[in-house]
Amino acid sequence: MKQGKKSGSIWKNKGFQSLAASLLCILIGLLVGYIVLLIINPAGATEAIKTIVENFLYYPSRAAQLKYLGNTLVKTVPLIMCSLSILFAYKVGLFNIGAAGQYVVGAGASLYCALAFGMPWYVCLIAAIIAGCILGGISGALKAYCNVNEVISCIMLNWISLYAVNMLLANVKETASPYTLTLASTNKAALLPSLGLGQFFSNNQYVTIAIPLAVIISIVVWVVLEKTMFGYELKATGFNKFAAKYCGMKEKRNIILTMVIAGGLASMGAGLFYLTGFEQWQTTASAVPAMGFNGIAAAFLGGLNPIGAIFSSYFIQHITNGGAYVDKTMYSAQIADFISALIIYLCGFVLFFKSFMDKRADRKAEAKALAAKNDGENGKGGDK
């Protein structure tokens, strides 16, 4: 009987549900991707899916493996921050689709401070956070005081942010290209300090303190949401802002503050990425970076848990990078993006899978309760 209770509790456990649902999304996505590879060219399908999953392990030498592992980690950092931005707002009942625009202004503020004013990395990072907080706060204020849907205001601000940043960074771009000047040649003080793991990433200068910072911030977000009165107030406002107001909570302040924090997280992700010097901003970009939108997938794949978001962000970036090593004579370079898109699409069913597990556990518990009742009645009948 004890074993049955234990089994039922596992199925009802939210952590187990999130993990199981996420793994199911990944497995289904990889399976469907493999079937598509078989349809395109069955001869190389097995090798292609293996290459995508392996990523940096594709290289035979340990030095090369560590170098490209470092690249994957560098690109994972902004994805973690964007996923934290999405889930933080979602926990409070807001859908921050503006993480993409907040990421853009974070990139713009950090790079402009570094290239135009020659400021050190910590000032540039603070500037990025402030820019994102302001942009997020605009959407929060419109929601709180004018009841403007945050999705609408965020989408509009995404495009305003993109073109404003393009114009701003055009002042600090290379003469012969649309890309911004490199930090290494213009202002080395703006580069984030190295992580200090030379024995592991000696041939990758882009592995910086951004990686542990993203993990620490994930833990801090978890603590704030789950272990503090402030987090409780924010979530209570998300569940029912009228009830929160009745209980004496400042629901308007909480909505604005939520979007301010969410905006700061996304823009900090941009700062942590561009201040490594890994990439330059293209001032002719006509599309908002996908990082903010991929953060939605990472947040849901991680079960809307800040700690889970670390692992889901890494996985999405892992298979995305792995697609670069697929044989281009057989398959398109976008095949990994296609598979990750499948997994992202399936993330929309995470809540469905969790609901299914809840119902399954309830049916099991109901069947056991009914069986116990029947056993008790039969026992009484036998005694008589």
Side-chain angles (χ1 to χ4, degrees):
M1 198 69 182
K2 286 182 181 178
Q3 189 179 358
K5 282 185 180 179
K6 188 177 179 183
S7 174
S9 64
I10 290 174
W11 283 99
K12 293 287 283 184
N13 183 275
K14 297 299 179 187
F16 173 79
Q17 287 182 352
S18 297
L19 178 62
S22 298
L23 289 175
L24 191 59
C25 288
I26 291 168
L27 290 173
I28 294 173
L30 290 173
L31 178 62
V32 174
Y34 180 59
I35 292 170
V36 172
L37 289 170
L38 285 170
I39 293 170
I40 296 171
N41 191 334
T46 302
E47 187 62 30
I49 199 73
K50 181 185 172 186
T51 300
I52 290 170
V53 173
E54 281 183 339
N55 185 10
F56 56 87
L57 295 174
Y58 169 83
Y59 291 95
S61 72
R62 181 170 176 77
Q65 288 178 358
L66 289 173
K67 177 181 178 180
Y68 290 98
L69 166 61
N71 287 352
T72 301
L73 292 174
V74 169
K75 288 186 174 182
T76 299
V77 168
L79 189 53
I80 291 173
M81 298 304 297
C82 286
S83 67
L84 291 176
S85 173
I86 300 293
L87 71 86
F88 190 90
Y90 195 84
K91 289 277 188 181
V92 191
L94 299 169
F95 187 40
N96 182 27
I97 202 170
Q102 294 146 16
Y103 180 83
V104 166
V105 297
S110 59
L111 288 174
Y112 195 75
C113 286
L115 299 172
F117 301 128
M119 293 182 174
W121 67 269
Y122 49 87
V123 177
C124 298
L125 192 57
I126 291 170
I129 296 169
I130 292 172
C133 287
I134 292 171
L135 195 67
I138 293 171
S139 293
L142 289 171
K143 173 73 173 180
Y145 291 106
C146 305
N147 200 28
V148 175
N149 189 293
E150 71 276 9
V151 174
I152 303 299
S153 62
C154 283
I155 290 173
M156 297 299 104
L157 286 171
N158 282 348
W159 294 102
I160 293 170
S161 302
L162 176 66
Y163 296 125
V165 166
N166 280 348
M167 288 189 290
L168 179 69
L169 294 183
N171 298 314
V172 289
K173 76 176 188 68
E174 295 173 341
T175 306
S177 80
Y179 293 95
T180 51
L181 298 166
T182 61
L183 294 177
S185 63
T186 309
N187 179 16
K188 287 187 177 180
L191 290 169
L192 289 166
S194 171
L195 189 55
L197 296 174
Q199 64 272 32
F200 294 107
F201 302 107
S202 58
N203 57 351
N204 195 332
Q205 73 271 30
Y206 306 115
V207 178
T208 65
I209 60 168
I211 296 166
L213 271 177
V215 174
I216 291 167
I217 291 164
S218 299
I219 296 169
V220 169
V221 169
W222 179 81
V223 171
V224 168
L225 285 173
E226 303 297 333
K227 304 295 180 183
T228 66
M229 183 64 72
F230 173 65
Y232 175 79
E233 277 199 22
L234 292 181
K235 290 191 287 185
T237 302
F239 284 128
N240 192 322
K241 67 178 182 180
F242 301 109
K245 183 179 180 180
Y246 180 78
C247 293
M249 298 177 188
K250 298 178 179 178
E251 86 289 357
K252 286 185 172 62
R253 182 207 66 180
N254 288 344
I255 289 171
I256 296 170
L257 199 53
T258 297
M259 290 301 293
V260 165
I261 294 171
L265 288 169
S267 59
M268 184 179 182
L272 289 174
F273 179 63
Y274 282 98
L275 293 177
T276 62
F278 189 84
E279 279 187 13
Q280 299 158 268
W281 182 269
Q282 184 180 350
T283 59
T284 56
S286 58
V288 179
M291 196 65 73
F293 300 115
N294 289 346
I296 299 171
F300 281 92
L301 189 61
L304 293 173
N305 183 292
I307 309 303
I310 299 171
F311 299 100
S312 61
S313 298
Y314 174 79
F315 174 77
I316 289 174
Q317 198 58 56
H318 181 92
I319 62 168
T320 301
N321 280 23
Y325 310 123
V326 172
D327 189 347
K328 303 301 187 298
T329 61
M330 290 186 176
Y331 303 103
S332 166
Q334 285 78 36
I335 192 66
D337 293 332
F338 171 75
I339 293 173
S340 61
L342 283 172
I343 295 170
I344 289 168
Y345 177 76
L346 288 165
C347 287
F349 295 92
V350 166
L351 296 178
F352 167 78
F353 293 140
K354 291 169 77 171
S355 175
F356 172 78
M357 284 185 268
D358 272 333
K359 288 178 182 177
R360 186 180 186 278
D362 290 340
R363 282 198 299 269
K364 271 191 167 186
E366 188 178 342
K368 284 175 184 175
L370 186 60
K373 182 181 177 184
N374 290 337
D375 289 342
E377 289 177 354
N378 292 336
K380 284 182 182 178
D383 290 341
K384 287 179 181 178

